[in-house]
Amino acid sequence: MTREDVQNSDPMRKAQELMRPPLPKRFYKDVSVEARDEGHVVLLDGRTVKTPGKLTLALPLAELAEEVAEEWRAQAEVIDPGVMHMTRIANSGIEAVPAKHGEVADAVAAYAGTDLLCYRADGPERLVERQGEMWGPVHAWAEETLGVRFMLAAGIMPVEQPAETLAAVREAVGRYSPLELAALHTVTTLTGSVLLALALAAGKIDAERTWAAAYVDEDWNAELWGQDAEAMRLREMKQAEFQAAVKVLALLSA
């Protein structure tokens, strides 16, 4: 029996699929980008794409609008929002974040209290070394840039970060524009580290190394016990969303 056969016979998977609402059919033929007073808009058969709240999806750069347009072009018979990561980030940056900029910044900055990079393994030695190699430079950069200290914990025991450290992270996060903050939120939640997100946004670490740093522990376990197919599938889905956020940050900082 193949893996597909097992999945198709899984009653839980079948129930989940039945609970999903049907995806809307593709209703347009042509997708284009047009420069207008409000920004670069995406057009479906000449009609502007709207956010869920009915705002015009207008972006500050033609390159960003083209990235969104490509997602709409890539839809075949149905429109699957689950794979339209650039569109989701654009919607958030245009509609959701401007209305709650402070709350979103608070949510992103809150990761500093339990940041992935501050929780190091106490063994085995090679894992400790690998974490140090991948996380140490970003940790050092964050301390130097923000002028604060991040307390490190060994093992699973929690550590409380100084109030001034948390405040400095919040101030740094709050400087980003709504669209940048939407992308920063995506990177932070996917990696579990606001320090990685800030370093990536600042150009101090590239996307490949950022993603690898977020999965040091998981990759270590995979080397010991083998890879889990379902875990890898989920990771690939998350990476596609991560790459969309990376593009937004890169284009806006260019």
Side-chain angles (χ1 to χ4, degrees):
M1 181 179 288
T2 67
R3 184 177 67 182
E4 287 74 17
D5 291 333
V6 173
Q7 291 176 343
N8 291 335
S9 64
D10 184 346
M12 182 64 73
R13 182 180 291 271
K14 285 187 176 181
Q16 291 172 342
E17 291 175 352
L18 290 173
M19 291 173 63
R20 294 174 185 161
L23 295 174
K25 292 184 178 180
R26 174 167 172 160
F27 57 88
Y28 54 89
K29 291 184 178 180
D30 298 318
V31 183
S32 59
V33 172
E34 182 178 293
R36 296 183 178 178
D37 291 342
E38 62 268 42
H40 300 273
V41 300
V42 179
L43 305 174
L44 306 179
D45 292 338
R47 301 179 64 181
T48 56
V49 173
K50 303 287 186 178
T51 69
K54 306 304 180 183
L55 300 178
T56 298
L57 198 158
L59 292 160
L61 299 174
E63 294 89 345
L64 277 174
E66 284 292 347
E67 290 286 351
V68 173
E70 278 302 313
E71 290 188 337
W72 288 90
R73 293 184 186 109
Q75 304 307 298
E77 295 182 0
V78 297
I79 301 171
D80 185 359
V83 298
M84 301 175 73
H85 306 302
M86 292 291 293
T87 302
R88 182 192 62 77
I89 293 172
N91 286 338
S92 296
I94 293 168
E95 181 179 307
V97 178
K100 297 184 178 181
H101 191 280
E103 293 180 32
V104 178
D106 287 343
V108 173
Y111 275 76
T114 56
D115 200 276
L116 171 71
L117 272 57
C118 295
Y119 284 81
R120 309 294 178 91
D122 53 9
E125 183 178 350
R126 184 61 192 125
L127 175 58
V128 174
E129 291 175 353
R130 189 175 299 184
Q131 288 179 342
E133 293 167 0
M134 297 294 292
W135 297 352
V138 176
H139 176 263
W141 168 84
E143 289 193 330
E144 180 180 357
T145 301
L146 299 176
V148 293
R149 288 196 62 194
F150 289 89
M151 307 302 294
L152 300 182
I156 60 174
M157 292 300 294
V159 61
E160 185 174 351
Q161 298 295 340
E164 58 268 24
T165 297
L166 300 179
V169 173
R170 174 59 178 82
E171 182 180 356
V173 170
R175 298 192 192 107
Y176 286 91
S177 70
L179 192 54
E180 289 172 322
L181 187 54
L184 198 73
H185 181 274
T186 296
V187 174
T188 301
T189 55
L190 289 174
T191 63
S193 172
V194 66
L195 301 188
L196 282 175
L198 288 172
L200 174 68
K204 299 302 178 181
I205 183 173
D206 63 23
E208 182 178 358
R209 193 166 180 82
T210 300
W211 193 247
Y215 282 87
V216 168
D217 293 356
E218 185 172 307
D219 287 342
W220 173 264
N221 286 326
E223 290 174 16
L224 293 178
W225 311 108
Q227 292 182 341
D228 179 85
E230 182 65 13
M232 288 303 297
R233 185 184 70 84
L234 293 174
R235 178 168 167 175
E236 289 173 359
M237 292 172 61
K238 291 178 180 179
Q239 189 171 12
E241 187 176 1
F242 169 79
Q243 291 293 352
V246 169
K247 286 183 181 179
V248 172
L249 291 171
L251 287 171
L252 291 175
S253 65

